[in-house]
Amino acid sequence: MVYCGKPSAGCLECRKRKTRCDRSTPSCSQCVRAHRTCPGYRNQLDLMFRNESDAVKVKAVKSKQISRTKSTSPVEQLPRNPASGEELDDDFSQGHNVAKYSKMHVNNSDALRIKNMMPNYSMFPTLEERSFAFFGAMAPTWFRTFDLVETLCSKADIEEHLQAGISAVGLASFSNASHAPEIMARARKDYVKALQLTNEALRSPTAVKKDSTLFSVMVLSIYEIISGNNERSLDSWAEHIKGAAALVKLRGNEQFKSPAGQRMFLQVTSNLMLSCIQRTLPMPEHIIELRDEAANYMDTDSPAWRLSGIIIDFTIFRSKVRDCEVVGPRNVIKEALEIDQRFINEFENLPEEWKYETVYTTENPHLVWNGNYHIYREYWMSHIWNGMRTCRILLHELIRDQLLAASTAITLLFTDDENAMQLNESIKIMLEMQSDILASVPHHTPSLLNQSSSGLLDGSRSYFVLWPLFLVGSMDLSTESIRNWAAARLRNIGKTVGIRQAVVISDILTRRALPIGWDTKPTPQLMSHQERIHKYWNGEKLDDLSNSQLHEHSLQIGESEVSYA
C-alpha cells in the first residue's frame, strides 16, 4: 500500500473546475448555485492509499527476465590481451564464472553494510494502524461528516486522550469484524486509558474547552455501542452523552465560532434528543439556550434543523404529561395533535433529494418485511425520517391511551363518534409509521439489497436503526411475526456488523422487556418527576474508577472543573 498524500475532499465538478468546494451535504454550494447535480464526495480513506501490488509484480517479473538474459547470454567476443591480441582464458572469459567472481570479492562485512543501507519497510500494517483505519472508515457514518474527523484527527500533535479513545473504538471494531476476542482485551485497556487521560484533560481549565476533549467523550460513547454486551452498556452510553452535554454547556457560545464546534454541537444535540426520548426526559434548558445562539451561525432553513426543534418540543411535552403539568385527556390530546401536525407540515414540502424510493420485491423475506423497502439518497436522511416516525408513534400511543382512559370515565369527555374516529386514526398512523420504519431497515444494513454498502465497515450505519427497530418491535400493536423479525434483524446486525449492543437489545425485545432506564410508555406521576429530572441531569458521583466496574462512569460539573469519576 503506497501512501499518496492528502487527497482533495471536494466533489468531482469542483475538482474539474479547480474551484473551492465547501463539501456541504447533500450538495455543495458551488453545484447548487450552478444548478448542476453534485456527484458527491469520495471516501478519503480509500484515496490515501493505493494498492501497487500488481505493478510491483510486473516490475519484478521484468527485472527477473532482464537479469536472467544478461547472466545466460553468450559472450559475443572474448576479451583479448592488449599486448598479444590473444584471447584471455581466465575468470572473465567464462560467463558462468561472473557469479563466482562477485562472491569472491564481496565479503561478509560488505554484505552487512549493504543490507543496513536498504530500507526496512513492512508490507503488513501494525495493529495500531489497522485500528485507526477502521475508525477512519467508520467515521463518516458515526459522525455524519468526514470533515469533523479529518480536522481533529489528522494533526501531527493529536491529543493523547483522543488517540487512546480512537484506538479503543478501532480495535473493538476490528475485533468484532475479524472475530478476534483477544483484540477486544487490548481495546478495553485502551478504553480505560482513554478514560483516565480524559479525566486529566477535564481537570485542566484550558483542555476542558478544547474540541479534542469533547470529541474524545463522543468517541467513548461509540465504544459502548460497539463493545457493550449487557444492559449496563446502554446506560453507560447515556452517561457519556450527559458528559458531552455538560461539556457543551461549559464551552458556551465560543464553540460556535469554528466549524468543528458547530458540528460537534449538532452531534451531541442529536444523541441527547434520542436519550431524552428513550427516558421521557425534557431537553436540558441550557442546550435549548445554546441552540438559540447556534441559530446565528447555522443553516436554520434545513429540514434537519427544523425537525430537531419539533423533537425538542416533543420531549418537553411528554415530560409535562408524566409530571402532570398537562392533565386531562382533552388537553393532552389537543397538544399532542398540534405537535403531530407540525411533523406532518414539515415533511410535506421536503426538497426532492430528501424523498425516498420504494422498491417492491418478493425475494429475501428475511431482509425485507412485507415485500417492500426504501432507498434514500443519504443514510442520515433515513435517520431523520425515522426520528419523525418514532415521535409520531409515541404521540399516537399517548393519544390512544388517553382515549381509552376517557372511554371508561364516569363523565364522558368525548362522544362515541369522536372517540372512535380519533382512535381509528391514531392506530392507522401508528401502523403506517411502523411499516415505514421496517421498510427503512435494509438501507441501514449491509446486504445485497444495499448496492452502496461496502461490507462490515459501511455497516456502522446500522446503529442508527437500533432504537426505531426496537420501538416497532415492542409496540403493543406489533404482531408476533413482526416482533420476531425485528429481533432477528437486531441480532443479525450485532453478529455481522459488529455492533454488540444490537444483540443486547434483541434479547430484551425477545423477553418483551424494557432496557434499564428506558421508558417508552410513561405513566403520569405526581411530585416525583421533577426530582427524577434533577437527579438525572445533575448526576450522582460514582466511586473512583479504579474501584468500579469498567462501564461505571459519569461526567460531573462543578464550579471549576468537569471530570469523570
Side-chain angles (χ1 to χ4, degrees), residues 32 35 113 135 220 233 238 247 261 287 320 364 381 491 496 533:
V32 171
H35 301 288
R113 184 165 59 253
F135 182 87
L220 293 176
S233 67
L247 279 177
I287 296 294
K320 286 182 176 180
N364 302 305
M381 290 181 179
R491 181 168 292 278
T496 60
I533 294 173

Side-chain angles (χ1 to χ4, degrees), residues 281-298:
L281 291 168
M283 201 70 169
E285 292 183 5
H286 70 269
I287 296 294
I288 299 175
E289 293 173 357
L290 286 171
R291 187 174 181 275
D292 292 338
E293 178 65 24
N296 298 322
Y297 300 88
M298 301 181 187

Side-chain angles (χ1 to χ4, degrees), residues 333 397-409 419 423:
I333 292 174
E397 275 192 343
L398 179 59
I399 292 172
R400 183 202 57 183
D401 293 345
Q402 292 290 324
L403 288 171
L404 294 176
S407 65
T408 60
N419 194 307
L423 186 61

Side-chain angles (χ1 to χ4, degrees), residues 414-478:
F414 303 97
T415 65
D416 291 343
D417 290 341
E418 287 177 334
N419 194 307
M421 185 180 299
Q422 184 58 58
L423 186 61
N424 291 335
E425 183 66 18
S426 292
I427 292 175
K428 176 185 175 183
I429 291 173
M430 283 189 286
L431 293 176
E432 287 178 355
M433 297 298 103
Q434 180 189 59
S435 176
D436 286 342
I437 289 175
L438 293 173
S440 73
V441 172
H443 184 81
H444 286 277
T445 53
S447 66
L448 295 176
L449 301 174
N450 188 358
Q451 299 301 325
S452 65
S453 174
S454 59
L456 287 168
L457 296 178
D458 200 36
S460 58
R461 70 174 67 179
S462 301
Y463 97 105
F464 284 122
V465 83
L466 301 188
W467 156 248
L469 196 51
F470 172 81
L471 179 64
V472 298
S474 62
M475 291 170 57
D476 48 19
L477 292 178
S478 296

Side-chain angles (χ1 to χ4, degrees), residues 222-241:
I222 293 175
Y223 177 87
E224 299 292 350
I225 298 173
I226 295 175
S227 65
N229 53 13
N230 54 52
E231 290 188 44
R232 292 174 58 192
S233 67
L234 299 172
D235 196 52
S236 297
W237 174 83
E239 292 298 322
H240 282 307
I241 301 305

